[in-house]
Amino acid sequence: MVQEWSIALEAAFVGLSGLLFFAYHALLVLAYAFRPQITSFGNNVRVKRMWARQHVKKVQVLPIQALRNYIMSCTVLASTTLVLVLFLADSIIALVSGATKSVSGVRLDFPSHNNATILVIKEVALVLILFVSFLNFMQAVRAANHMAFLLTIDDANSNRGINMSLTLSTRMSFHWWAGLRSLYACIPAFCYILGPTWMLVCTLFLIPTLAVFDLRPDRICPMLCSNEDTCPNEKIDEDGEVV
């Protein structure tokens, strides 16, 4: 019988893990909205928009090869998420149908709910996160496919092709970012299957690790900028240029 203190502790650990993960990404989105130059995502968006503007209306092999590599990487990650979804679906079906009678075994955490129903809920949540990742990678592939044609369109009467290419480059960056974030969210979600303590420890380790790659300290603190860096207060316009 699960004691009341363990139920409260599990709820606290799971709630704290989710709060930390979503709060970090909410702050990251706010940083991108107001100071995109201090985030890796903001700089990636800027570089990709500059790349699209440079290669639009030019029939070259290099941009098509870059898009092909991008599509291949998205396809590999999407296929990986789909394989994980099928694996978890098989486990869920086994639990629901009663093929797995007992889930008791080695205890890796403090006493908590570990019956078949709770395990199914955990795995369904993990499947939903993987589905979000899969859909984002597919949307990134979709945008890249459209962009491969737009880069070679010579529309002398308007800048419609250029504007659409810049919009698609931003969309590609967003869906790639969202797909990877969903995969990152799967790590603490998987650890929750082992126990709430594992989930909290994983989240506390994951967030600082992501911050190392998501933020640029040289742009956050002006004193860390070298003479070759641009001003930390620079703004980026809709075309990805520094103003």
PDB file of all heavy atoms in Angstrom, residues 17 52 81 109 135 171 205 225:
ATOM      1  N   SER A  17       9.548  19.077 -11.719  1.00  0.00           N
ATOM      2  CA  SER A  17      10.271  18.765 -12.953  1.00  0.00           C
ATOM      3  C   SER A  17       9.606  19.421 -14.157  1.00  0.00           C
ATOM      4  O   SER A  17      10.269  20.053 -14.991  1.00  0.00           O
ATOM      5  CB  SER A  17      10.336  17.247 -13.144  1.00  0.00           C
ATOM      6  OG  SER A  17      11.014  16.623 -12.081  1.00  0.00           O
ATOM      7  N   ALA A  52      19.286  32.052 -47.244  1.00  0.00           N
ATOM      8  CA  ALA A  52      18.206  31.983 -48.229  1.00  0.00           C
ATOM      9  C   ALA A  52      18.220  33.196 -49.143  1.00  0.00           C
ATOM     10  O   ALA A  52      18.040  33.083 -50.356  1.00  0.00           O
ATOM     11  CB  ALA A  52      16.853  31.872 -47.516  1.00  0.00           C
ATOM     12  N   THR A  81      11.783   8.648 -34.011  1.00  0.00           N
ATOM     13  CA  THR A  81      10.639   8.865 -33.128  1.00  0.00           C
ATOM     14  C   THR A  81       9.506   7.900 -33.446  1.00  0.00           C
ATOM     15  O   THR A  81       8.828   7.398 -32.530  1.00  0.00           O
ATOM     16  CB  THR A  81      10.138  10.309 -33.240  1.00  0.00           C
ATOM     17  OG1 THR A  81       9.762  10.585 -34.607  1.00  0.00           O
ATOM     18  CG2 THR A  81      11.200  11.289 -32.822  1.00  0.00           C
ATOM     19  N   ASP A 109      13.128   3.454  -6.750  1.00  0.00           N
ATOM     20  CA  ASP A 109      12.771   4.738  -6.162  1.00  0.00           C
ATOM     21  C   ASP A 109      11.932   4.481  -4.917  1.00  0.00           C
ATOM     22  O   ASP A 109      11.678   3.327  -4.557  1.00  0.00           O
ATOM     23  CB  ASP A 109      11.991   5.576  -7.177  1.00  0.00           C
ATOM     24  CG  ASP A 109      12.162   7.071  -6.946  1.00  0.00           C
ATOM     25  OD1 ASP A 109      12.495   7.446  -5.803  1.00  0.00           O
ATOM     26  OD2 ASP A 109      11.967   7.841  -7.888  1.00  0.00           O
ATOM     27  N   LEU A 135       5.755  15.129 -35.785  1.00  0.00           N
ATOM     28  CA  LEU A 135       5.034  16.090 -36.615  1.00  0.00           C
ATOM     29  C   LEU A 135       5.883  17.316 -36.916  1.00  0.00           C
ATOM     30  O   LEU A 135       5.835  17.860 -38.031  1.00  0.00           O
ATOM     31  CB  LEU A 135       3.734  16.495 -35.915  1.00  0.00           C
ATOM     32  CG  LEU A 135       2.665  15.400 -35.797  1.00  0.00           C
ATOM     33  CD1 LEU A 135       1.472  15.907 -34.998  1.00  0.00           C
ATOM     34  CD2 LEU A 135       2.219  14.929 -37.172  1.00  0.00           C
ATOM     35  N   ARG A 171      10.422  29.043 -40.727  1.00  0.00           N
ATOM     36  CA  ARG A 171       9.556  27.928 -40.349  1.00  0.00           C
ATOM     37  C   ARG A 171      10.360  26.639 -40.185  1.00  0.00           C
ATOM     38  O   ARG A 171      10.105  25.844 -39.282  1.00  0.00           O
ATOM     39  CB  ARG A 171       8.473  27.748 -41.408  1.00  0.00           C
ATOM     40  CG  ARG A 171       7.370  26.785 -41.033  1.00  0.00           C
ATOM     41  CD  ARG A 171       6.295  26.781 -42.094  1.00  0.00           C
ATOM     42  NE  ARG A 171       5.712  28.111 -42.281  1.00  0.00           N
ATOM     43  CZ  ARG A 171       4.865  28.412 -43.251  1.00  0.00           C
ATOM     44  NH1 ARG A 171       4.515  27.492 -44.133  1.00  0.00           N
ATOM     45  NH2 ARG A 171       4.385  29.631 -43.351  1.00  0.00           N
ATOM     46  N   PHE A 205      19.698  18.070 -14.274  1.00  0.00           N
ATOM     47  CA  PHE A 205      20.916  17.931 -15.074  1.00  0.00           C
ATOM     48  C   PHE A 205      20.707  18.407 -16.506  1.00  0.00           C
ATOM     49  O   PHE A 205      21.619  18.967 -17.125  1.00  0.00           O
ATOM     50  CB  PHE A 205      21.353  16.460 -15.080  1.00  0.00           C
ATOM     51  CG  PHE A 205      22.529  16.181 -15.969  1.00  0.00           C
ATOM     52  CD1 PHE A 205      23.817  16.507 -15.581  1.00  0.00           C
ATOM     53  CD2 PHE A 205      22.346  15.600 -17.211  1.00  0.00           C
ATOM     54  CE1 PHE A 205      24.902  16.256 -16.401  1.00  0.00           C
ATOM     55  CE2 PHE A 205      23.421  15.346 -18.056  1.00  0.00           C
ATOM     56  CZ  PHE A 205      24.701  15.673 -17.642  1.00  0.00           C
ATOM     57  N   CYS A 225      32.315  40.477 -24.644  1.00  0.00           N
ATOM     58  CA  CYS A 225      32.424  40.606 -26.093  1.00  0.00           C
ATOM     59  C   CYS A 225      33.828  41.073 -26.471  1.00  0.00           C
ATOM     60  O   CYS A 225      34.410  41.940 -25.828  1.00  0.00           O
ATOM     61  CB  CYS A 225      31.398  41.615 -26.629  1.00  0.00           C
ATOM     62  SG  CYS A 225      29.700  41.050 -26.452  1.00  0.00           S
TER      63      CYS A 225
END
